[in-house]
Amino acid sequence: MTEKRSLNSLVIYPDIEPGVIDNAMIIRCILEYGPTEEAGRLFAEEGVHLDEAQVVRLEFQNILRIDHLWMLKSLRKLTLAHNLIEKIENLDQLTGLNELDLSFNKIEKIENLDKLVNLEILTLFHNRIRKLENMELLEKLLVFSIGDNIIEDYKEMAYLRRFRFLRSVSFKGNPCCDDPMAYQFIKSALTRVTYLDYKIVTEAEREDGRALFRGVLRKLDEADEKSENERLAKEDYEARVKFYALSFVEYLSGPELLEAMFEKDPDGSLLLKMGGELNGFFEQPAIRGDNLLYTSCSKYQYKEQYVETMAGLVEFALEAYNARQYEIKLFKDLVNDALEESVKKSKEIIIEYENKKRPLVNEMQEFINRFTTKQATIEELEPLIVDLGETFNEVLYHLWKSLMTIEMQLYEQCEESRVQFSVNITEMVTKLLEVSRNAFGAWREQEGVWSMRQFEALSKLLGNKLILGDVPPELFEVMMDRDLMMNLVAQSSDNHMRFIDGREDLLMTRANNWRDELVQGTNDNEVKRNRDRILEINYYIDNQREEWTDMQMGLTEIVDPETVALLGDDF
Amino acid sequence: MSPYTVIIRRSGNPFELAHVLVSWLIGAGYDAYVVVGCATRDTCMAIKYRSICADIPDESEKKEEIPPPDEEPRYRLVPLPDLTSKYCRDMDKKADDKKQAELNKTEKERLRKIADLEKAPADAINGWRTHAWVLVLPGYMGIDEPFFIEPSEGEGHLLDSEKYQFIDSVYNHENYYANVQSTDIGLDSLNYDLSDLSAWEHLLAGEPHHRRQMVGIDIADKKTAVQTEKHLDMPVSWVEKLEISTDEYGQRYPGSHKVIHYKKVLLDKFSPYSERDGVVKRIRTFEDYALTVPLITYEWYKHRVDKMETVRIDHTKREIRETFGIGRRDHLLKHVYSMDALVGSVEAVRTMEFNYYARLDHLTRLVCTTLTFDEYYSNRSDRLESRLVIYTEGTKETKRQIKDVTETYSRNHEIPSKQDVWKKIFHLQDNTIELLYQYAYNYVTNNTRSYIKPNLAETGGKILFYPDKTSGYIADPNAKQPRDLEVYYALCENMEWEHATTKQIRDRETDVNGYLRQRHKELTEPMLAVALFDTEKNEAAKKGWKEQEAKKAEVTEREKEAEIDPLAPYLARMFGSGHGSGNPLTVKEATLIREQCINDFKSKQLARQMLVQERFEKLNNEYKNKRLWYLANQFILTPEKESNYFTMSAELAFQVHTLEVRLTRHQDLSGPRYKILLEYLDKHPLLKEYNRSKNYYGIK
């Protein structure tokens, strides 16, 4: 305990005035912990790029508040240990943060960590934390240190069960550690944690704890299992929706959408509360015995009919999706193969060029040698150099021409396929839209039938207080007034029609947009690729020419300005 | 000569050989016949030097044709416009065709001439040479077509083979069929249905049993049965059962060795284990008919410890190619080297291929020449694909020095191409390092970076950075130039890398030298592996077995010697131990010992009987008491106690019964045992004197 106190009050650098983080401090720290020696010199010369720093250590700076860290965009590891921080804050911008060290501070509460979803290592050693909270979103947590805090109830640690990747926990130094049960509980409750206080947890130890805390653990297990199942179901459902969305038919498989339609339409659902005969029209009754009458008169009910229609559409859409993917693959394969072929050819040509260039360079070196060793004067060499330069330019021009030819051929060769591809894709999308139009038409028809039946069924009951005795008061009111009821039915029908229109529109726009984007994207990509290549070729040629000129300049640098003037005209 | 004799003598004329082969085939279930007819001279005299050897391995490369896609591709590239003149092309083609035709003609003429020269000289008695061979007919053992087998070589031939000219008759152990068809039209158009009487005349009327069609014949009726059976059968064979022992079969050829002379080819066959180096087959091809200029030698090996399987020696290219099986310690699969190569030198021209999967360093191939040393790798985790080394020429005093090292890496798709090094080239003599980076998507040029290495001696071992000593090209015109720090780090890393690489190259050379030394040793002192369970050849195991057997025999011998002497303890008491085979005792001593022995035996028997009796009585009493107690109390007992009693009494009864049996057994056996003891003592060699006197005096 005495040691702990002393640690807390220990100030390593008493002369640093307690303050906040500022630019100078960050730069100083980065430089301090950056590379040393020659690399350090280069590092310092270049200047510190705050937005590229990956690791920053701000230790022993007597910092009072976390702030001004937002410019460290690519930060992966942040160390703020041994400061005077009391609150976790202003870390929201550092989303890429992988490791955060806040040990030896005065933090009292875990908070404001929600944005750090990539955090794997979190160290809160030696703080004043009483409770584990606000960490639900740190799903990737791997190492967690909470030692030397003031957690009084070891049951608190059950909070850590939610982290699926958590492997190491350090806990020592909390008040509740004196309780011999504490470790047993933690070992048995945190089944996924392999290392506790940096010591491996054996199966036997876990078993001991499990026997002691059977009741508590069972409760925890049950709760976990439930949330886990929910999570899995949700993930599964989302994945399915995502998959269907690719075929533009999300939410159309199964009755959810119809239910959603009724939910959005208060009038319709109000009328639906009527129950009895009406429900029979709406969906297949659970107990057939009572409602044989209705089922016999209408073979399919609204809901079943809807599900069936939409199942047809979904099936078609999935098939169409596969067909489209296949089409895209065919096209992509062709284009990629062609590109690969052209790149290969171009590379060969460049190698050929390099082979041609080598003797020229050697010759040039020879001239320079002769000149520097005073074997020949510039006047003697000048015509030779000019000749050599011309040969080189010719070779270079030839290179440029071949590379450009290959690129142009590639572009032209692919053009027709691209047009054909866009036609095919458009055709496929049109077909899909046609089928969907039919399906939605059927839905509308069913809606009409439903509306009519609903009206019929309701009119029978109109004003009949005896039957309506036990319905909700609002509904009762409606059923007492014919106009009101008719209005309500019409309104509900209108609502439904609008809903259906909306869904259909959504499907059509999405499909059309997708097609436009694909076709346009393919064209744009190709154009961009073409431009990039041409740019690259020209850049390369320029580079080569520059290199050559540099070599000649090497010659001229040694000689007087007169010769420069002489040669200058030619280059 | 009977087939049995042929097998014993291992030689015979065509008829005898055919008999042996037909016997084996029939024994194995085939429908085989000996054919008597006429054949060509080469066949009759087993001349092979006019025929081509079929065993020469086919070395022509196989071309794998890519099957055309199943459906017409929906997308295709627009073909480039063809701007050449069609007329010119046609004219060129015509000229080419003409030239080709002329060439073909001369080639044909040449081949015809060769064929003419190779033809066999005319044979005066062509068509009169009698020969015997084997015919196998379909219907059994999954054979669909009739074919011939030449018994002297064991090879199958089609019916239209040119070797055979006429068929006179065929026979086997069941019947003799004379051919009545004309054989002028060729043997393949004959009717081989032997039951067809218009084609084959039978010696014995009727068909053998298994060919007869018994439809509509009632065997139960005696008369019809006799009528049906009324024909002659072949006599039963008088030849002894044919047998070839494993040892003989292993030998294959008389003297374990056979040479066949084909056209320009010599084929040697050896039986396994007969040669010291394990060679089983050798083919030598020659340039000329007189077999003087060798072309290629192929050798096949078996059971070698070094796993060498084949050797191919090309005499014109002076190249040796060895292939190995999997399982060598250095995982060598193939070794190609020049015949002139210095033994065990990495500076000679050679190529080694390895089973990279089993090697830790994943080395696939090594190519050495005097000035290069190329390593190729597969599937390495550091993505190294090859390391090519070029050396400067060494002189007599100095060894060759490394000049350039080029390391090639495959693309690591996890990092951008501008950081992914494709080639590292170290110019060791020029003190420069060149880095070539991978090509990015759609780029035809790649980033490069070259360094002139700083002189470490001047800077005291520190690597300093000078911007003018490095240059580079960035393929992307829009990209930023790399930072000095990055360039500097790359320099540091690669200077270390160079150091490591040169060390690895030296290590590798040492390794390869080791392999080559090992190979040299294996070639000069070949060893053959013997299977653990091969009783004939496994000398070590044989020795072990023999030793074991000898040991076993020894143990039984000893057991026999050490028979128990009931007198031994008494003798020991009287004379001390070790009086096993001393002189016979005097009558007095003998009487004493004998008395002691018999008395002890008697008292021991008695004591044992008493003991058993006593126990028996005790238990029996207990049992009886229990029973009485039960009878008295049986109506007031709780069920628990009752069941307790029953288990206990059952146990007691069992014990009593065992003791009873033991007692009776003891009583039954003690008499005979006593008698045996007396008899034994009467014949005991040490008591000879006593026994004689006892008999003499008639003492009872």
Side-chain angles (χ1 to χ4, degrees):
Chain A
M1 269 300 155
T2 50
E3 199 188 350
K4 206 167 158 186
R5 285 285 139 257
S6 70
L7 262 178
N8 237 349
S9 52
L10 190 71
V11 179
I12 307 274
Y13 296 111
D15 12 323
I16 298 178
E17 195 171 317
V20 290
I21 302 168
D22 57 12
N23 216 6
M25 183 196 283
I26 295 174
I27 289 174
R28 197 181 65 227
C29 286
I30 289 178
L31 283 179
E32 203 168 306
Y33 295 111
T36 52
E37 295 188 356
E38 179 72 1
R41 184 180 68 82
L42 293 170
F43 186 64
E45 259 174 29
E46 235 164 56
V48 176
H49 298 262
L50 287 181
D51 54 341
E52 286 176 21
Q54 297 217 336
V55 182
V56 171
R57 300 178 62 166
L58 300 169
E59 291 168 320
F60 302 108
Q61 303 292 333
N62 292 347
I63 295 165
L64 291 171
R65 266 188 76 192
I66 306 172
D67 209 346
H68 292 109
L69 291 172
W70 48 268
M71 64 263 269
L72 302 166
K73 284 190 195 96
S74 47
L75 204 61
R76 292 178 60 77
K77 182 178 171 178
L78 176 62
T79 308
L80 288 164
H82 299 279
N83 284 302
L84 306 169
I85 298 162
E86 290 177 352
K87 189 167 186 261
I88 305 174
E89 58 191 341
N90 297 324
L91 291 170
D92 292 354
Q93 303 286 329
L94 311 176
T95 46
L97 208 59
N98 185 266
E99 195 177 333
L100 178 61
D101 185 353
L102 288 167
S103 44
F104 298 97
N105 278 297
K106 297 178 176 173
I107 296 163
E108 287 175 353
K109 189 179 177 205
I110 303 173
E111 58 192 336
N112 298 326
L113 290 171
D114 294 350
K115 294 278 162 56
L116 309 179
V117 286
N118 289 315
L119 206 63
E120 285 181 6
I121 302 174
L122 177 59
T123 312
L124 293 168
F125 194 82
H126 196 101
N127 278 296
R128 293 174 185 168
I129 294 163
R130 289 175 183 281
K131 192 169 163 41
L132 298 177
E133 57 193 341
N134 300 328
M135 305 198 317
E136 288 82 359
L137 293 173
L138 308 180
E139 281 189 358
K140 293 186 182 169
L141 204 62
L142 187 74
V143 178
F144 181 59
S145 163
I146 190 71
D148 244 357
N149 277 287
I150 41 177
I151 294 175
E152 313 224 312
D153 182 7
Y154 57 78
K155 295 245 165 69
E156 194 69 24
M157 296 299 277
Y159 181 85
L160 296 176
R161 284 167 64 94
R162 72 194 59 216
F163 301 113
R164 277 181 298 148
F165 302 106
L166 192 64
R167 289 292 174 272
S168 171
V169 172
S170 85
F171 176 66
K172 205 175 171 160
N174 282 297
C176 59
C177 283
D178 300 336
D179 188 341
M181 307 280 263
Y183 273 96
Q184 278 183 328
F185 175 74
I186 293 169
K187 279 171 187 167
S188 58
L190 306 179
T191 46
R192 294 200 188 90
V193 172
T194 325
Y195 301 99
L196 185 62
D197 281 336
Y198 310 110
K199 275 181 277 183
I200 200 156
V201 181
T202 63
E203 202 47 46
E205 287 170 342
R206 275 196 223 285
E207 215 43 65
D208 287 350
R210 223 169 277 156
L212 266 175
F213 296 97
R214 188 166 295 141
V216 186
L217 287 177
R218 191 178 301 140
K219 241 181 258 163
L220 286 170
D221 278 343
E222 273 163 18
D224 276 7
E225 201 175 319
K226 208 173 137 204
S227 61
E228 180 73 12
N229 283 344
E230 269 167 20
R231 192 180 61 80
L232 283 178
K234 205 175 144 214
E235 267 175 20
D236 192 37
Y237 182 73
E238 271 164 13
R240 259 211 345 260
V241 165
K242 213 171 160 192
F243 175 65
Y244 284 136
L246 288 174
S247 347
F248 319 117
V249 288
E250 68 276 23
Y251 304 120
L252 284 181
S253 69
E256 298 112 51
L257 197 65
L258 193 73
E259 276 155 15
M261 180 170 88
F262 274 94
E263 253 165 50
K264 275 190 191 160
D265 164 27
D267 305 338
S269 31
L270 183 63
L271 290 175
L272 210 55
K273 284 191 188 133
M274 193 58 234
E277 194 181 12
L278 210 51
N279 267 347
F281 289 136
F282 182 62
E283 59 189 327
Q284 202 79 19
I287 306 152
R288 277 176 162 240
D290 306 345
N291 301 300
L292 257 179
L293 239 156
Y294 321 121
T295 43
S296 60
C297 67
S298 61
K299 203 174 167 197
Y300 289 110
Q301 309 312 311
Y302 185 29
K303 200 165 175 179
E304 274 78 39
Q305 268 179 338
Y306 160 78
V307 169
E308 193 166 299
T309 319
M310 285 307 157
L313 174 62
V314 166
E315 196 180 319
F316 181 84
L318 288 182
E319 249 166 52
Y321 170 72
N322 287 338
R324 284 201 303 273
Q325 289 304 318
Y326 180 63
E327 195 75 20
I328 293 172
K329 185 182 165 293
L330 279 183
F331 175 69
K332 283 260 161 72
D333 281 356
L334 176 89
V335 172
N336 286 341
D337 286 353
L339 176 63
E340 208 170 288
E341 187 67 19
S342 115
V343 166
K344 206 174 119 199
K345 249 193 261 171
S346 303
K347 280 179 190 168
E348 272 164 21
I349 284 174
I350 289 178
I351 288 172
E352 201 181 304
Y353 155 77
E354 302 237 315
N355 287 340
K356 273 190 204 160
K357 176 184 144 189
R358 206 163 296 128
L360 295 179
V361 171
N362 287 343
E363 215 172 315
M364 189 70 191
Q365 292 287 357
E366 177 70 14
F367 289 149
I368 293 174
N369 265 345
R370 266 164 64 188
F371 179 72
T372 45
T373 53
K374 306 271 182 204
Q375 283 173 352
T377 60
I378 195 81
E379 282 76 22
E380 279 169 25
L381 287 177
E382 195 221 323
L384 293 173
I385 292 176
V386 170
D387 273 358
L388 202 60
E390 261 166 29
T391 329
F392 176 74
N393 274 337
E394 226 166 76
V395 171
L396 206 57
Y397 175 69
H398 179 71
L399 170 73
W400 179 80
K401 207 173 108 187
S402 338
L403 290 180
M404 289 304 258
T405 316
I406 290 171
E407 175 52 29
M408 285 306 131
Q409 278 171 355
L410 173 68
Y411 186 75
E412 273 168 28
Q413 279 184 319
C414 291
E415 199 158 24
E416 194 181 290
S417 302
R418 226 161 43 235
V419 173
Q420 181 67 38
F421 176 66
S422 79
V423 167
N424 285 355
I425 287 291
T426 311
E427 203 173 282
M428 289 172 131
V429 169
T430 318
K431 207 164 169 198
L432 173 69
L433 289 183
E434 211 170 280
V435 172
S436 86
R437 207 170 298 132
N438 286 341
F440 279 100
W443 188 6
R444 277 199 200 92
E445 218 167 84
Q446 287 154 16
E447 172 61 32
V449 170
W450 155 250
S451 176
M452 210 175 67
R453 278 202 189 139
Q454 189 184 30
F455 179 66
E456 271 169 18
L458 288 176
S459 357
K460 270 189 225 158
L461 299 170
L462 196 64
N464 192 340
K465 284 186 185 170
L466 228 122
I467 297 176
L468 296 171
D470 50 351
V471 296
E474 321 97 306
L475 187 59
F476 186 77
E477 205 172 293
V478 171
M479 291 308 288
M480 286 301 104
D481 186 344
R482 189 181 165 80
D483 285 348
L484 208 56
M485 191 271 282
M486 273 172 68
N487 270 347
L488 215 53
V489 170
Q491 214 168 351
S492 160
S493 180
D494 272 3
N495 270 342
H496 288 184
M497 285 299 178
R498 259 203 304 283
F499 186 86
I500 296 169
D501 288 351
R503 183 66 189 90
E504 192 179 3
D505 275 356
L506 181 69
L507 192 151
M508 282 172 69
T509 4
R510 287 251 327 271
N512 281 325
N513 282 347
W514 177 82
R515 189 211 53 207
D516 290 347
E517 265 166 35
L518 180 70
V519 172
Q520 198 55 44
T522 318
N523 281 335
D524 288 352
N525 278 345
E526 180 61 17
V527 171
K528 184 174 177 303
R529 194 199 61 72
N530 177 253
R531 287 193 186 143
D532 280 354
R533 174 72 72 79
I534 291 170
L535 198 62
E536 187 205 354
I537 293 169
N538 285 324
Y539 179 73
Y540 182 70
I541 300 285
D542 286 349
N543 240 297
Q544 291 296 318
R545 196 168 283 143
E546 212 170 285
E547 214 174 87
W548 184 260
T549 322
D550 280 353
M551 203 150 58
Q552 284 187 342
M553 294 301 276
L555 177 67
T556 51
E557 258 168 29
I558 320 161
V559 298
D560 52 355
E562 206 176 302
T563 353
V564 180
L566 198 75
L567 282 166
D569 291 342
D570 296 306
F571 301 101
Chain B
M1 217 157 60
S2 76
Y4 182 77
T5 325
V6 171
I7 285 180
I8 297 233
R9 290 197 190 163
R10 299 181 123 184
S11 73
N13 63 28
F15 282 87
E16 291 155 357
L17 294 177
H19 286 163
V20 175
L21 186 53
V22 165
S23 302
W24 281 115
L25 288 173
I26 288 171
Y30 291 90
D31 191 13
Y33 299 85
V34 177
V35 184
V36 182
C38 294
T40 58
R41 178 175 53 186
D42 285 1
T43 315
C44 294
M45 299 174 74
I47 292 171
K48 289 282 181 70
Y49 52 74
R50 270 190 278 276
S51 52
I52 290 165
C53 178
D55 284 351
I56 295 177
D58 184 15
E59 285 182 349
S60 58
E61 273 176 40
K62 275 176 205 145
K63 269 186 203 164
E64 264 182 47
E65 278 184 20
I66 304 160
D70 304 339
E71 49 181 313
E72 186 71 15
R74 232 174 293 177
Y75 300 106
R76 56 185 193 86
L77 297 175
V78 185
L80 294 174
D82 187 3
L83 298 176
T84 54
S85 152
K86 264 188 192 165
Y87 176 73
C88 286
R89 218 168 43 204
D90 281 357
M91 291 312 280
D92 285 350
K93 194 166 178 283
K94 261 183 202 164
D96 280 352
D97 284 353
K98 212 173 166 188
K99 236 187 211 166
Q100 193 59 44
E102 234 161 69
L103 267 176
N104 281 350
K105 207 174 155 192
T106 49
E107 180 68 19
K108 236 188 210 165
E109 184 67 16
R110 202 174 66 84
L111 287 179
R112 202 181 58 76
K113 262 187 194 158
I114 291 175
D116 257 6
L117 288 172
E118 282 183 356
K119 233 202 241 159
D123 184 8
I125 49 166
N126 191 20
W128 292 94
R129 289 177 184 271
T130 308
H131 188 61
W133 64 95
V134 176
L135 166 69
V136 180
L137 287 187
Y140 296 88
M141 303 296 282
I143 287 171
D144 305 322
E145 286 287 315
F147 65 95
F148 296 135
I149 301 177
E150 174 58 42
S152 62
E153 60 187 16
E155 274 167 27
H157 295 282
L158 295 176
L159 292 179
D160 57 354
S161 167
E162 282 177 10
K163 293 169 87 82
Y164 307 117
Q165 293 166 326
F166 311 113
I167 291 180
D168 291 335
S169 56
V170 304
Y171 62 89
N172 65 358
H173 64 300
E174 283 165 336
N175 210 341
Y176 185 95
Y177 310 87
N179 181 18
V180 293
Q181 306 168 75
S182 161
T183 49
D184 293 342
I185 42 169
L187 297 185
D188 53 329
S189 46
L190 285 188
N191 179 2
Y192 285 97
D193 179 7
L194 296 180
S195 55
D196 186 351
L197 288 176
S198 65
W200 301 93
E201 185 65 49
H202 296 206
L203 174 68
L204 303 175
E207 299 286 341
H209 275 283
H210 60 93
R211 277 188 203 285
R212 256 178 263 157
Q213 290 167 354
M214 301 295 242
V215 189
I217 295 170
D218 184 10
I219 311 176
D221 182 10
K222 209 169 183 188
K223 198 178 167 193
T224 24
V226 168
Q227 286 289 329
T228 322
E229 270 298 324
K230 200 172 140 190
H231 68 271
L232 297 169
D233 280 328
M234 273 276 205
V236 180
S237 172
W238 58 89
V239 179
E240 286 209 40
K241 192 182 168 194
L242 303 184
E243 248 173 336
I244 298 179
S245 69
T246 325
D247 192 28
E248 279 172 330
Y249 179 71
Q251 278 186 27
R252 306 278 155 89
Y253 322 106
S256 302
H257 180 200
K258 182 174 183 176
V259 187
I260 305 171
H261 181 179
Y262 287 99
K263 184 163 91 182
K264 297 194 201 175
V265 172
L266 270 186
L267 170 66
D268 293 68
K269 287 181 172 184
F270 303 89
S271 66
Y273 291 110
S274 69
E275 296 295 298
R276 202 171 74 89
D277 56 359
V279 66
V280 291
K281 190 160 121 182
R282 179 183 295 137
I283 293 180
R284 281 172 287 173
T285 62
F286 294 88
E287 173 79 56
D288 55 345
Y289 297 96
L291 311 181
T292 51
V293 184
L295 280 179
I296 302 176
T297 306
Y298 302 93
E299 284 169 351
W300 284 264
Y301 293 87
K302 258 188 189 162
H303 310 297
R304 276 183 73 110
V305 169
D306 63 359
K307 312 260 182 207
M308 184 158 80
E309 283 173 352
T310 66
V311 173
R312 177 187 184 277
I313 306 171
D314 194 327
H315 295 277
T316 44
K317 279 201 248 166
R318 303 196 58 73
E319 180 197 80
I320 301 176
R321 183 181 301 166
E322 295 166 354
T323 60
F324 302 87
I326 283 179
R328 282 177 64 86
R329 286 192 68 177
D330 52 12
H331 305 291
L332 189 63
L333 283 185
K334 200 169 168 186
H335 186 191
V336 183
Y337 56 98
S338 159
M339 277 162 98
D340 313 317
L342 210 63
V343 172
S345 162
V346 282
E347 297 185 22
V349 178
R350 63 178 84 235
T351 306
M352 298 169 101
E353 279 174 32
F354 295 90
N355 176 21
Y356 79 87
Y357 189 77
R359 285 183 67 98
L360 279 180
D361 57 6
H362 281 217
L363 180 68
T364 316
R365 198 149 57 91
L366 259 181
V367 182
C368 317
T369 64
T370 39
L371 288 183
T372 61
F373 185 79
D374 302 346
E375 301 159 53
Y376 297 89
Y377 297 92
S378 299
N379 277 349
R380 264 174 81 108
S381 54
D382 65 356
R383 295 170 193 280
L384 179 64
E385 279 186 336
S386 68
R387 183 187 288 139
L388 315 182
V389 186
I390 298 174
Y391 293 89
T392 58
E393 219 158 323
T395 55
K396 272 192 180 158
E397 294 85 46
T398 56
K399 255 192 92 186
R400 58 180 189 175
Q401 295 280 319
I402 299 176
K403 185 163 162 255
D404 294 334
V405 181
T406 308
E407 288 185 350
T408 311
Y409 294 84
S410 58
R411 176 90 174 90
N412 179 2
H413 287 280
E414 280 159 21
I415 56 175
S417 61
K418 61 175 181 178
Q419 290 170 13
D420 195 7
V421 179
W422 174 43
K423 274 184 179 174
K424 294 181 176 179
I425 307 173
F426 304 107
H427 300 284
L428 267 78
Q429 303 294 323
D430 302 345
N431 262 334
T432 55
I433 298 174
E434 228 178 300
L435 299 180
L436 306 181
Y437 290 85
Q438 299 275 4
Y439 289 88
Y441 169 76
N442 186 34
Y443 277 93
V444 294
T445 56
N446 55 347
N447 292 5
T448 63
R449 169 71 45 192
S450 65
Y451 300 97
I452 300 171
K453 276 195 289 180
N455 191 339
L456 292 184
E458 279 172 16
T459 57
K462 266 186 212 163
I463 303 172
L464 295 185
F465 179 76
Y466 304 104
D468 55 334
K469 286 201 169 180
T470 170
S471 61
Y473 163 73
I474 305 296
D476 184 0
N478 299 326
K480 274 188 267 176
Q481 289 294 319
R483 297 230 187 96
D484 283 350
L485 189 65
E486 286 168 24
V487 176
Y488 173 72
Y489 276 143
L491 171 66
C492 294
E493 185 192 322
N494 284 295
M495 283 182 66
E496 260 169 50
W497 196 264
E498 179 185 305
H499 191 68
T501 297
T502 44
K503 186 177 174 300
Q504 272 173 21
I505 292 168
R506 276 199 301 275
D507 288 352
R508 172 72 71 221
E509 277 182 10
T510 323
D511 281 358
V512 175
N513 271 325
Y515 300 157
L516 292 175
R517 263 202 306 281
Q518 171 72 11
R519 276 302 300 145
H520 181 64
K521 202 178 151 209
E522 284 164 356
L523 280 178
T524 45
E525 301 162 20
M527 301 245 284
L528 297 186
V530 179
L532 190 60
F533 301 105
D534 190 336
T535 49
E536 293 296 318
K537 306 220 169 58
N538 197 337
E539 290 300 331
K542 218 185 202 171
K543 209 173 146 198
W545 285 325
K546 275 198 182 141
E547 263 171 27
Q548 244 176 24
E549 250 161 50
K551 226 180 240 172
K552 232 188 240 167
E554 221 171 87
V555 168
T556 41
E557 194 90 337
R558 214 180 296 147
E559 271 173 4
K560 244 183 237 164
E561 273 172 18
E563 231 173 55
I564 303 157
D565 186 356
L567 280 184
Y570 304 101
L571 288 170
R573 199 190 295 162
M574 192 171 270
F575 307 105
S577 62
H579 196 281
S581 53
N583 296 324
L585 306 177
T586 58
V587 178
K588 204 173 163 193
E589 287 165 347
T591 327
L592 196 64
I593 285 179
R594 191 170 176 274
E595 286 300 305
Q596 276 176 354
C597 181
I598 290 173
N599 283 342
D600 277 1
F601 181 77
K602 275 182 187 159
S603 59
K604 203 172 182 184
Q605 292 289 328
L606 199 66
R608 196 179 284 169
Q609 187 173 351
M610 295 290 278
L611 188 71
V612 176
Q613 185 83 38
E614 197 181 322
R615 276 193 199 153
F616 170 73
E617 262 154 28
K618 192 177 155 209
L619 278 176
N620 206 13
N621 275 340
E622 201 178 323
Y623 176 64
K624 272 178 189 156
N625 285 342
K626 273 262 152 120
R627 180 141 184 83
L628 284 176
W629 170 81
Y630 173 70
L631 286 174
N633 298 324
Q634 64 180 333
F635 300 110
I636 53 163
L637 280 176
T638 59
E640 204 181 322
K641 275 190 176 169
E642 197 171 359
S643 72
N644 233 353
Y645 161 76
F646 277 123
T647 49
M648 216 154 79
S649 72
E651 206 175 297
L652 266 179
F654 174 71
Q655 281 178 358
V656 169
H657 178 70
T658 352
L659 286 172
E660 209 176 341
V661 170
R662 273 184 73 179
L663 198 61
T664 42
R665 191 174 139 76
H666 182 80
Q667 280 162 356
D668 288 351
L669 282 180
S670 55
R673 271 185 188 153
Y674 180 67
K675 246 179 217 166
I676 289 172
L677 180 71
L678 281 184
E679 264 170 39
Y680 177 80
L681 288 177
D682 283 349
K683 282 173 192 161
H684 200 284
L686 289 183
L687 301 180
K688 219 159 97 190
E689 283 294 303
Y690 170 80
N691 286 337
R692 209 174 45 204
S693 65
K694 187 180 83 173
N695 288 344
Y696 185 75
Y697 294 113
I699 297 167
K700 281 262 156 139

